Amino acid sequence: MWDRLLTDCHALTMVPAPGNPLGLIHNAAIGIHGGRIVRVGRRTELAGTRAAEVVPLGGAFVTPGLVDCHTHLVFGGTRAAEHAQRRAGASYEEIARAGGGIASTVRATAAASVTELLEQSRIRLHALMRGGVTTVEIKSGYGLDPASELRLLNVVRTLGRSEAVRVVPTLLALHALPAGADRELYVEQVISELVPTVARLGLATSVDAFCEGISFTPAETERLFEAAAAHGLPVRLHAEQLSNQNGAALAARYQALSADHLEHLDEAGAAAMAAAGTVAVLLPGAFYTLRETKQPPVDLLRKHGVAMAVASDCNPGTSPSLVPQLAMNMACNLFGLTPEEAIAGMTINAARALGLVSEIGSIEPGKAADLAVWRIAEAAELGYWLGLMPERRIFGGQEQ
């Protein structure tokens, strides 16, 4: 006997079929047992199956739980003052070089206690969860020294252990150079001390960096990637956001899970990502907040068959967003994704970007029963409404 049987619904399985890119099954039923999906199909196909609880959904749509695959959720303070500076004409780079930007968040984060960081971050996490998110990636990166980065990753771990959501921790090892630091010594400390410690303690499942003119060079990033590989940690990369540093191609050489932002990606980078299976994570919140005009080359990504994910990029400076549906809507309106691409971007392709496609991101037998139930009339509404929330959120088979 199954634990639960969801009936009278329309299932967006995210298993594409000819003419059916979202794998939509009308009049569907979904069997759940032991926190896993055991069967999905038309309701008539599951007739006669026994379950401890039968839940009729009254014609609602069911999707995999949303996956937010790029966030900087744990930080202290805000950067609301920078919003005013940008409105007055200051650029992101000008603010950063004047001591604002990431450096200001590092100071505020250092000043916050662990309890304060947990309380502030939990509020943000709950907002994403209310929007249907069942898996969220959270980066460190606002510590900028080994002890502080470990402190942040332990906050991330506590969040994951205390909330009904899957938290995927990432070590953002090279985010910004601390004020007054010796560049070579800092990079060496990250590589020889921080990465091995994080790997030994199991505090992160991947390693990330910001490869950009105002942060770290491709050569420094490659040294980090070599260290990550030596310790069995896959890599991701903030690439081609403000300029083309050929970071996407570098990430692809190291079989990176994802390359993120990509506004300045060129065709060679797109081709390299396709060959490596590296996912393109599009972050329209930062594009919008920074009032950028150069869009990521979506047509190039389509041409080369690069999977596209969409994420909130929740962070205090460039994407203070806690609404996953807004990210999907912006991906359509600002970047030209279709509604189907945007939905795939926060489900199956976001799962790929985290290396979790065998566990989450689609409604298939054997996968985790992480689901969202939506009171909508058609699937396209998921990328249409700016603040839509699910009627039900199911995590590990249990309604939350």
Side-chain angles (χ1 to χ4, degrees):
M1 178 183 291
W2 297 339
D3 295 333
R4 305 182 82 192
L5 180 64
L6 310 182
T7 67
D8 189 18
C9 61
H10 308 296
L12 292 175
T13 67
M14 306 313 301
V15 181
N20 187 7
L22 300 181
L24 173 61
I25 302 175
H26 286 291
N27 196 20
I30 303 168
I32 298 171
H33 188 73
R36 297 275 164 180
I37 298 163
V38 291
R39 193 170 174 190
V40 57
R42 292 186 64 83
R43 184 169 58 174
T44 53
E45 297 171 3
L46 276 68
T49 55
R50 298 179 63 199
E53 182 183 14
V54 177
V55 184
L57 296 177
F61 278 70
V62 182
T63 69
L66 300 185
V67 179
D68 196 346
C69 65
H70 182 130
T71 83
H72 304 253
L73 200 71
V74 174
F75 57 84
T78 74
R79 298 211 319 250
E82 292 179 16
H83 179 70
Q85 289 178 277
R86 283 195 293 271
R87 300 296 74 77
S91 72
Y92 178 74
E93 293 186 57
E94 288 169 341
I95 292 170
R97 294 189 189 282
I102 294 168
S104 66
T105 295
V106 169
R107 293 191 294 271
T109 301
S113 68
V114 168
T115 298
E116 289 169 335
L117 288 174
L118 277 168
E119 290 175 351
Q120 295 171 21
S121 301
R122 203 182 300 278
I123 291 170
R124 294 187 282 269
L125 180 59
H126 285 175
L128 290 175
M129 291 165 66
R130 286 193 297 271
V133 169
T134 54
T135 296
V136 58
E137 185 258 16
I138 304 178
K139 303 178 191 295
S140 67
Y142 292 127
L144 304 193
D145 65 69
S148 298
E149 289 294 308
L150 294 174
R151 175 177 179 253
L152 293 180
L153 288 172
N154 275 301
V155 170
V156 174
R157 172 179 279 182
T158 299
L159 285 173
R161 289 176 172 175
S162 60
E163 297 290 343
V165 65
R166 180 179 288 96
V167 169
V168 181
T170 295
L171 170 63
L172 181 44
L174 293 178
H175 195 195
L177 187 67
D182 179 283
R183 191 175 194 91
E184 176 62 27
L185 290 178
Y186 178 73
V187 172
E188 179 57 34
Q189 183 183 42
V190 166
I191 289 170
S192 63
E193 182 179 338
L194 180 57
V195 171
T197 302
V198 168
R200 177 173 55 82
L201 297 176
L203 286 174
T205 59
S206 65
V207 172
D208 199 347
F210 186 21
C211 183
E212 191 52 76
I214 62 171
S215 50
F216 294 93
T217 68
E220 291 163 340
T221 301
E222 185 160 18
R223 289 179 60 195
L224 174 68
F225 283 0
E226 290 173 350
H231 289 87
L233 290 171
V235 297
R236 311 181 67 197
L237 188 64
H238 290 61
E240 272 74 276
Q241 180 183 10
L242 305 174
S243 62
N244 185 359
Q245 301 284 319
N246 296 311
L250 169 62
R253 286 207 305 275
Y254 284 83
Q255 304 295 306
L257 293 171
S258 72
D260 305 27
H261 286 289
L262 301 175
E263 280 86 339
H264 293 262
L265 179 71
D266 60 17
E267 184 151 15
M273 291 176 65
T278 298
V279 176
V281 178
L282 306 182
L283 304 171
F287 178 91
Y288 167 81
T289 301
L290 295 175
R291 302 178 71 182
E292 295 288 352
T293 56
K294 187 173 179 60
Q295 301 165 317
V298 167
D299 285 341
L300 267 183
L301 296 169
R302 290 180 181 133
K303 172 184 174 181
H304 289 279
V306 179
M308 292 182 288
V310 176
S312 73
D313 191 19
C314 174
N315 76 78
T318 63
S319 188
S321 173
L322 295 168
V323 184
Q325 291 73 25
L326 180 59
M328 288 191 284
N329 179 280
M330 284 181 169
C332 295
N333 287 332
L334 300 179
F335 294 165
L337 268 64
T338 66
E340 292 81 8
E341 286 173 329
I343 295 167
M346 290 206 82
T347 53
I348 189 70
N349 287 341
R352 288 192 178 98
L354 297 178
L356 293 175
V357 73
S358 64
E359 177 73 7
I360 58 173
S362 62
I363 304 176
E364 297 181 80
K367 288 196 172 183
D370 297 349
L371 305 168
V373 179
W374 310 88
R375 189 58 58 183
I376 54 178
E378 58 180 318
E381 290 190 52
L382 291 173
Y384 168 69
W385 294 108
L386 298 181
L388 182 70
M389 290 191 291
E391 182 178 88
R392 300 168 184 250
R393 177 181 170 277
I394 297 169
F395 179 68
Q398 300 299 312
E399 192 160 335
Q400 303 300 318

